[in-house]
Amino acid sequence: DGGITQSPKYLFRKEGQNVTLSCEQNLNHDAMYWYRQDPGQGLRLIYYSQIVNDFQKGDIAEGYSVSREKKESFPLTVTSAQKNPTAFYLCASRSSGNTIYFGEGSWLTVV
Amino acid sequence: AQKVTQAQTEISVVEKEDVTLDCVYETRDTTYYLFWYKQPPSGELVFLIRRNSFDEQNEISGRYSWNFQKSTSSFNFTITASQVVDSAVYFCALSGGVDSSYKLIFGSGTRLLVRP
């Protein structure tokens, strides 16, 4: 089935650790995005990538890093510099018709 | 700057009632896109509709309908004969054109509770 796959669904991070959230899509979309959602709030853009080997910071990029080595993959690393990483993370990709589709999300909790 | 306002934080209705979710947006772009997404308790964002700024036709899809009015910068969403399965958080979102890399700006969401 075509779609966006995020893993893991649930992740626990200890203080001072880096963790990486995976996002894979088989929709052949060029553009991909990472959003963060805090409880009871809307989504905020962390990073986005329009094409392979290129990415730009969004509104809340501090403490995060990404790579885009393959069209299908856009992993997000939450570094120890992110002081409040507990949140729901959503990956998305954009179709040629400019519709943005989302994966099922990953819950990250700091323990 | 772009902004999306969903003034209704939470709405509660009884099953079979009609309900309208409001969305007001601000943008200086001449080309833009408006979206509605549904977020059930499981968390994923489900795409419902996309409208282009140059297409003001209203749209109906089953029990769902959307009213796009550029004159009032609104893109309201109506559910007719609501069902319990419609209970979710609904987000309105705005995307600029190529100059803004089609980034989505989200409203804060409206939580809809449909009671049996």
Side-chain angles (χ1 to χ4, degrees):
Chain A
D1 289 342
I4 302 169
T5 302
Q6 291 187 237
S7 63
K9 179 71 174 178
Y10 300 96
L11 185 59
F12 297 90
R13 193 195 90 170
K14 293 182 180 179
E15 295 280 353
Q17 277 186 339
N18 293 352
V19 293
T20 297
L21 306 180
S22 171
C23 178
E24 303 278 332
Q25 54 101 357
N26 60 4
L27 301 170
N28 201 34
H29 292 170
D30 286 316
M32 297 185 73
Y33 306 80
W34 273 105
Y35 285 86
R36 168 181 171 144
Q37 184 179 25
D38 292 285
Q41 298 188 27
L43 283 73
R44 294 180 291 168
L45 181 64
I46 306 172
Y47 267 98
Y48 63 102
S49 168
Q50 301 274 57
I51 199 167
V52 175
N53 292 323
D54 185 54
F55 50 83
Q56 286 79 40
K57 294 181 179 180
D59 300 319
I60 55 166
E62 185 175 351
Y64 300 97
S65 66
V66 294
S67 63
R68 187 83 187 278
E69 298 176 0
K70 298 186 301 182
K71 187 176 186 178
E72 310 79 47
S73 179
F74 191 39
L76 173 74
T77 297
V78 185
T79 75
S80 57
Q82 172 49 239
K83 297 308 178 187
N84 185 23
T86 295
F88 187 50
Y89 292 87
L90 285 152
C91 178
S93 67
R94 190 181 82 236
S95 71
S96 58
N98 298 324
T99 295
I100 297 175
Y101 298 96
F102 287 83
E104 294 186 346
S106 293
W107 294 91
L108 174 62
T109 303
V110 174
V111 295
Chain B
Q2 295 183 322
K3 185 179 179 181
V4 176
T5 301
Q6 294 180 256
Q8 303 152 308
T9 304
E10 189 165 324
I11 301 175
S12 181
V13 299
V14 176
E15 203 169 20
K16 298 183 183 177
E17 283 186 28
D18 298 347
V19 57
T20 294
L21 309 182
D22 297 332
C23 174
V24 175
Y25 63 92
E26 296 175 28
T27 182
R28 294 179 182 174
D29 292 343
T30 54
T31 299
Y32 54 90
Y33 303 85
L34 293 164
F35 298 78
W36 276 95
Y37 291 89
K38 174 182 180 179
Q39 187 174 44
S42 53
E44 77 271 24
L45 275 180
V46 178
F47 167 76
L48 295 178
I49 189 171
R50 185 202 77 206
R51 299 304 285 174
N52 304 334
S53 54
F54 45 85
D55 181 4
E56 285 193 71
Q57 275 193 333
N58 293 328
E59 183 158 338
I60 298 174
S61 176
R63 296 184 297 107
Y64 296 169
S65 63
W66 291 269
N67 185 328
F68 177 27
Q69 291 195 338
K70 288 180 75 170
S71 60
T72 56
S73 298
S74 65
F75 185 44
N76 297 337
F77 173 31
T78 297
I79 302 175
T80 303
S82 60
Q83 300 176 2
V84 172
V85 294
D86 296 327
S87 296
V89 180
Y90 291 85
F91 288 97
C92 180
L94 167 69
S95 169
V98 62
D99 291 342
S100 65
S101 302
Y102 302 99
K103 293 176 288 184
L104 279 173
I105 306 297
F106 283 85
S108 55
T110 297
R111 181 177 299 277
L112 174 65
L113 175 62
V114 182
R115 309 187 310 275

